[in-house]
Each structure stands twice: as C-alpha cells, then as structure tokens.
Amino acid sequence: MDISERAKMAAGEWYTCIDPELEALRAAAHDAVHEHNSMRPGERGNMGPALRLLLAQVGDNARVEAPFHCAYGINIELGDDVFLNAGCTILDTARVRIGSSALLGPNVQIYCAEHHKDAALRSAGLEIARPVEIGEDVWIGGGAIILAGVSIGDGAIVGAGSVVTRNVPAGATVVGNPARPIPA
C-alpha cells in the first residue's frame, strides 16, 4: 500500500508538495485566510470564524491580526492570550505550537519546510517538514524568521529582524542573522 504524501509530511519524511490532497488542504487554508483578512476588524474580532475552525487549536483570547497567511492551518496550535501582529506568515507543513502569552511582532515568519538540496528533486517539489515549538511568554520582534525544527524556550526574546536557525534556551535573548545569544 502506498503512503500518501500527506502521511509522509506528517511523519517528517520526504514528500512532494505537488499533490492533489495537499493542494486541496492549501486551498481550504487560503479560503479561511482570505475570509479572515477581508473581514472588517469589528466583525472579525480576535480571529475570523473560518480561520478559527481551520487551526488545530486556539486558546482563549488568542488574536491574529490581518493580514495573516498560513500554508495549511491544520498544524497550528495557539495557546491562551497569544498575539500575532499584522503580516505574520506560518508555513505549517509540520506542527507549529505557540505557547500561551507569546507575542509575535509584525511580519514574523515561521517556516517548517526544508526543500531538497538536489535541484532536480527540489523542482519535483520534494521537501521535508520539521516542527517549530515556541514556548510560553516568548516575545518575537518584528520581521524575525524562525526556521524549520527550531524550539524557542519559555520566556525567551528574539530580536527584531533576527533569523533563528538553532534552538533558543528558556529565558535567553537572541539577535542577528544568524540569531546569537546576548548577555542579559
């Protein structure tokens, strides 16, 4: 029996994103995101209804400002009181867990997919998905980029514009490209 590309993606194996089932999931996410982004703020509240239904988990008082973009949505978990500022993008080919009271500044980007290094395989859509874990009470400054497989510990701070390529310990402050710890 063949394993579906979606099952391979969920298992953290190499899969091709050029797949009808995955395309249908992305289309559903695009529809939910479009509704969220086009609603009047007073009508939308913390999050558009279709986006709320799409996401894997939405804690109390979690807020997603518009515009917002995600690849699938079904892999995103938001804890209580999470705040995603305008322009956030989450390419959630794997699980993205954002802990309670985390604050993400404008234009923060989270990427779970890594494309194949071989050009022919990359052209065929071959990629692998690695989860991202953001702890509680984390502050991520505007324009930061969080790469696949990264964990950011509770209470950590990521400076604006940083590119996070490695795990960040709890309570640490990191800045730069690549992001590096700075003294407290």
Side-chain angles (χ1 to χ4, degrees), residues 46-70:
N46 285 342
M47 190 178 313
L51 183 59
R52 180 177 295 279
L53 288 172
L54 178 72
L55 301 184
Q57 177 184 322
V58 178
D60 292 339
N61 300 313
R63 183 174 185 89
V64 177
E65 291 289 348
F68 171 75
H69 178 75
C70 64

Side-chain angles (χ1 to χ4, degrees), residues 12-43:
E13 299 172 6
W14 289 101
Y15 68 95
T16 180
C17 61
I18 303 169
D19 174 75
E21 181 183 15
L22 294 178
E23 181 58 39
L25 290 171
R26 287 191 299 269
H30 291 167
D31 287 345
V33 165
H34 176 74
E35 177 201 77
H36 171 83
N37 289 339
S38 61
M39 290 182 79
R40 295 175 58 85
E43 295 171 8

Side-chain angles (χ1 to χ4, degrees), residues 1 11 33 39 45 52 63 66 71 73 86 102 104 115 130 156-157 169 171-172 178:
M1 175 165 77
V33 165
M39 290 182 79
R52 180 177 295 279
R63 183 174 185 89
L104 279 64
H115 301 284
R130 296 177 50 214
I157 298 171

Side-chain angles (χ1 to χ4, degrees), residues 98-124:
I98 302 175
S100 293
S101 301
L103 306 172
L104 279 64
N107 300 310
V108 168
Q109 301 169 57
I110 300 172
Y111 305 145
C112 293
E114 291 183 1
H115 301 284
H116 206 284
K117 292 180 181 176
D118 179 280
L121 295 174
R122 190 170 51 248
S123 292

Side-chain angles (χ1 to χ4, degrees), residues 68-72 75-78 82-84 87-99 102-114 130-135 138 140-141 143-152 158 162-164:
F68 171 75
H69 178 75
C70 64
Y72 295 96
N75 295 314
I76 299 172
E77 301 174 13
L78 304 178
V82 166
F83 180 77
L84 276 59
C88 285
T89 296
I90 302 177
L91 301 184
D92 61 308
T93 54
R95 178 180 182 230
V96 175
R97 184 193 162 281
I98 302 175
L103 306 172
L104 279 64
N107 300 310
V108 168
Q109 301 169 57
I110 300 172
Y111 305 145
C112 293
E114 291 183 1
R130 296 177 50 214
V132 170
E133 179 90 15
I134 298 172
V138 169
I140 301 177
I145 299 172
I146 314 301
L147 296 184
V150 167
S151 292
I152 299 175
V158 175
S162 296
V163 178
V164 183

